[in-house]
Amino acid sequence: MRRIYNFAAGPAVLPLPVLEKAGSELLDFQSSGMSIMEMSHRGEIFDAIIKEAEAKFRRLMGIPDDYAVLFLPGGASQQFAMVPLNLLLPGRSADYVDTGSWAWRAIEEAKIVGRTNVIWSGRDKRYMTAPKPSQLRFTPGAAYAHICSNETIAGIRFPAFPETEAPLVADMSSDIASRTFDFRRFALIYASAQKNLGPAGMTLAAIRKDLTERCPDTVNVFFRYRTHISEPSLYNTPNTWGVYLFGLVMDWLLEQGGVAAMEKLNTAKADMLYDTLDASPFWRPCADKDSRSLMNVTWRLPSEELENRFVKEAADAGLDGLKGHRSVGGIRASIYNAFPAEGVKALVGFMKEFERKNG
Ligand code: PMP
């Protein structure tokens, strides 16, 4: 068996102990004579798995009791639609911060539902910068405010989160469980699982329960948060395999020391890479220094030809997934929680050698 260093943006690397455990339990789960994928989502075994998964997530993230935790289908993309459908009240407006491609997708969905104010945009700066809280002017009386905490494509993040009068909603798909913050500042957070939480095909949402009451009855039953609260994530058949693996990832994160410990490791990993990028003009880091993501590090080389060679030779050396998103090109190293520090060290070593040969 040969495991590579996988820098892909998502689906992304999973902790090796999680894969090993899942492998060992694949054919006969807890002496049931079947795999987790083959059993009822309403049976005793899965019931315990989903309840424990939720409890561990609550512990990891410090989620208070007045918030519901949901396992939902449809990716973060479905949340772009569900948020305005549930929260954008008739006659009111919602504030959106346009930090990049993902924030923009959320804005497009909100515009279909109701009045949407884009109160800040990084588009003119090619989405390479995120706002400081002091730069944001939220609209008084807004139904809610929406941000994307980490933009996976450009590789930027909110250095600090704003305090808002309106309920604050965040797409945390690419940095959930990687940095500490005061959970109470948010009314709703959501994240696709395939970066920091588990396999693709499942989305986590944590929402303050009182907010779910305002959803109008004109919204289809399936798209109401309260539907999924009243039949806790079992209104339709959930991604049982995803929930199970998510639970194993929670075990792993808690064993590592939780989010604070991950943040320390993530900062050290990202610093190693940014220090290398800053040390020579051969490398051209994309994001503004103040907005640099700890999860997705993006940079350019002097030419596209060199970038293509870099990606290919890195893959040959066992460093895979470094090609930037197809919409922007360049190089992107995604170094989520489960990405090992040794992999970043290997990349830095490869970069020094590549620069010596091509610089
Ligand atoms: N938001 C962010 C920040 C993302 O990175 C992604 C996926 N890369 C999405 C939303 C969309 O997620 P999904 O494809 O699971 O709907």
Side-chain angles (χ1 to χ4, degrees), residues 75-77 80 102 148 150 152 171 173-174 192 194-195:
S77 301
F80 295 161
W102 295 113
C148 174
N150 184 87
T152 323
D171 172 6
S173 292
S174 48
S192 315
Q194 68 269 18
K195 298 158 197 307

Side-chain angles (χ1 to χ4, degrees), residues 38-158:
E38 299 167 294
M39 60 182 65
S40 168
H41 58 298
R42 300 197 187 276
E44 224 173 87
I45 293 182
F46 187 74
D47 184 58
I49 286 176
I50 194 166
K51 284 190 177 136
E52 280 165 26
E54 177 183 333
K56 290 172 204 163
F57 183 64
R58 283 182 181 279
R59 188 152 21 110
L60 183 80
M61 301 284 295
I63 299 180
D65 287 344
D66 53 333
Y67 288 66
V69 169
L70 302 173
F71 300 93
L72 298 169
S77 301
Q78 181 170 296
Q79 295 309 301
F80 295 161
M82 273 178 78
V83 167
L85 284 172
N86 282 263
L87 303 183
L88 187 40
L89 297 168
R92 303 266 291 279
S93 65
D95 283 349
Y96 275 75
V97 183
D98 176 26
T99 41
S101 318
W102 295 113
W104 186 252
R105 280 218 188 163
I107 290 164
E108 284 184 318
E109 292 285 14
K111 280 182 174 169
I112 294 171
V113 179
R115 204 140 50 84
T116 304
N117 291 326
V118 177
I119 60 153
W120 186 94
S121 177
R123 185 170 286 218
D124 292 349
K125 298 236 167 81
R126 292 175 20 264
Y127 287 138
M128 291 307 164
T129 192
K132 294 190 182 67
S134 61
Q135 290 173 277
L136 299 173
R137 296 275 170 276
F138 293 97
T139 313
Y144 65 92
H146 181 280
I147 64 169
C148 174
S149 54
N150 184 87
E151 288 280 355
T152 323
I153 294 178
I156 59 164
R157 70 163 187 167
F158 271 81

